[in-house]
Amino acid sequence: LAHGKDARLIVYTAQLSEIVSLADEGWGGFKWNSTYQEAKYFGQAEYTVDLSQFSEEDFIVNNEQKLLTVRIPYAVLSPINILDDKTQFKDTEKGWLGPKDVALTPEQHTQIMIEIKEKMKAQLIDENIMSKANEEAKTVVADLLTATIQAVDPEFTVVVVF
């Protein structure tokens, strides 16, 4: 690994979805000249560990016990990625003078994306995904290093800690 360069290892990926009600409210907000539609947005959250921050102090070798202990940083959530190509729209509900489709301004679209990402982030917190990501980080790093270490000495064991 190049010390000081960005070397993020993806250790856990969570698939998310969020249903949002979209509205194109006509003059006065009356139902007869408004259009409504539900959309299901899908997103992906990646948790990473920055391996570029490793230093000698993060590796403890015990030759007697044939044990390598590696200290890693906790997993970090990368920005949530909305998978636009997977978005599903339900049929529109429109008043008799409502527009055919819900038309959002760029500002409204940006605001909806912000809200969706906030709701998805709340899902990650509610489902305690961070602890799953941290456990997976230990497993992924251990697997990554074990193959290399055991090629040198098959009796060595790798243990990963925070």
Side-chain angles (χ1 to χ4, degrees), residues 2-149:
H3 187 70
K5 297 204 185 235
D6 191 32
R8 297 189 187 276
L9 176 66
I10 298 170
V11 294
Y12 189 80
T13 302
Q15 303 300 323
L16 306 161
S17 66
E18 187 64 39
I19 296 174
V20 177
S21 294
L22 306 173
D24 189 349
E25 295 185 334
W27 179 82
F30 296 109
K31 219 170 168 81
W32 55 268
N33 65 347
S34 299
T35 302
Y36 303 92
Q37 185 175 32
E38 276 192 357
K40 186 173 186 179
Y41 290 88
F42 294 87
Q44 193 170 7
E46 293 180 338
Y47 289 86
T48 62
V49 171
D50 187 1
L51 302 180
S52 69
Q53 301 303 312
F54 277 161
S55 66
E56 282 185 40
E57 293 83 35
D58 295 321
F59 296 88
I60 302 165
V61 178
N62 184 325
N63 285 315
E64 288 178 18
Q65 294 181 349
K66 300 273 188 187
L67 183 69
L68 170 65
T69 303
V70 182
R71 185 176 52 237
I72 63 170
Y74 287 99
V76 174
L77 175 63
S78 296
I80 294 172
N81 181 28
I82 302 297
L83 307 172
D84 290 323
D85 60 327
K86 298 202 186 266
T87 303
Q88 298 172 352
F89 294 96
K90 288 194 173 182
D91 291 336
T92 56
E93 288 182 35
K94 66 183 208 87
W96 59 280
L97 283 180
K100 182 179 178 185
D101 294 313
V102 174
L104 299 175
T105 65
E107 294 82 16
Q108 290 171 320
H109 182 266
T110 299
Q111 185 59 38
I112 287 172
M113 290 298 113
I114 290 169
E115 290 173 20
I116 289 168
K117 288 179 181 181
E118 287 173 359
K119 288 180 179 182
M120 287 181 173
K121 198 170 186 179
Q123 283 180 36
L124 295 170
I125 293 167
D126 290 346
E127 296 173 16
N128 202 18
I129 299 295
M130 180 58 87
S131 65
K132 291 177 189 175
N134 281 324
E135 286 306 309
E136 194 63 22
K138 288 166 54 173
T139 302
V140 169
V141 172
D143 290 348
L144 181 70
L145 295 174
T146 296
T148 304
I149 297 301

